[in-house]
Amino acid sequence: MKNETSELNIISYNIHSCVGTDGQYSISRICNFLSSSSQSNTTPSILCLQEIESNTKHQQTRLWSASHCHNQPNEVASALQLPFVHFAPAITSVVKSTRVREKHNAEEARYGAFGIAI
């Protein structure tokens, strides 16, 4: 019996809601960075992303975020040709004026969430 070894490649990255240090919102910039990071070795077995958002209507979820209507977990997975994605919302919120209002109402919470994706 041949003894085979396998590698488990994991990338963990805080994407800061796809907003760079320049304040610009860009999913493609995050995807380009993740793609270049994984090309040095191999495609990651597991990609863990923190501070990722999923908005189903145009809104700003966090104060540092941008107003958008994107399902960031699905868009990143699609761009990187990853076959599976799972999003786990940590909080649901929306920015109103200069304050974040966390949503505890199921009707309101269905529009935007902030959390992690694997």
Side-chain angles (χ1 to χ4, degrees), residues 8-11 34 38-39 42-47 80 82:
L8 178 64
N9 297 306
I10 300 172
I11 293 178
L34 292 169
S38 64
Q39 284 179 2
T42 58
T43 302
S45 305
I46 300 172
L47 176 62
L80 298 177
L82 300 174

Side-chain angles (χ1 to χ4, degrees), residues 88-101:
I91 59 171
T92 53
S93 63
V94 67
V95 173
K96 296 288 184 183
S97 182
T98 58
R99 295 182 18 219
V100 173
R101 182 173 64 107

Side-chain angles (χ1 to χ4, degrees), residues 15-35:
I15 67 166
H16 299 285
S17 303
C18 292
V19 176
T21 56
D22 60 359
Q24 298 299 307
Y25 175 80
S26 176
I27 295 175
S28 62
R29 180 168 45 183
I30 294 297
C31 292
N32 289 338
F33 173 79
L34 292 169
S35 179

Side-chain angles (χ1 to χ4, degrees), residues 46-116:
I46 300 172
L47 176 62
C48 305
L49 301 175
Q50 299 84 44
E51 294 190 17
I52 193 164
E53 298 179 351
S54 179
N55 290 347
T56 57
K57 72 176 191 178
H58 206 274
Q59 67 180 22
Q60 185 176 356
T61 305
R62 306 298 289 164
L63 286 174
W64 63 85
S65 180
S67 184
H68 66 85
C69 180
H70 296 126
N71 182 326
Q72 293 174 353
N74 286 349
E75 291 190 31
V76 170
S78 177
L80 298 177
Q81 299 178 344
L82 300 174
F84 305 103
V85 63
H86 179 75
F87 174 66
I91 59 171
T92 53
S93 63
V94 67
V95 173
K96 296 288 184 183
S97 182
T98 58
R99 295 182 18 219
V100 173
R101 182 173 64 107
E102 290 190 13
K103 297 180 176 186
H104 303 285
N105 176 308
E107 176 65 23
E108 293 176 335
R110 67 187 173 123
Y111 297 117
F114 173 85
I116 60 171

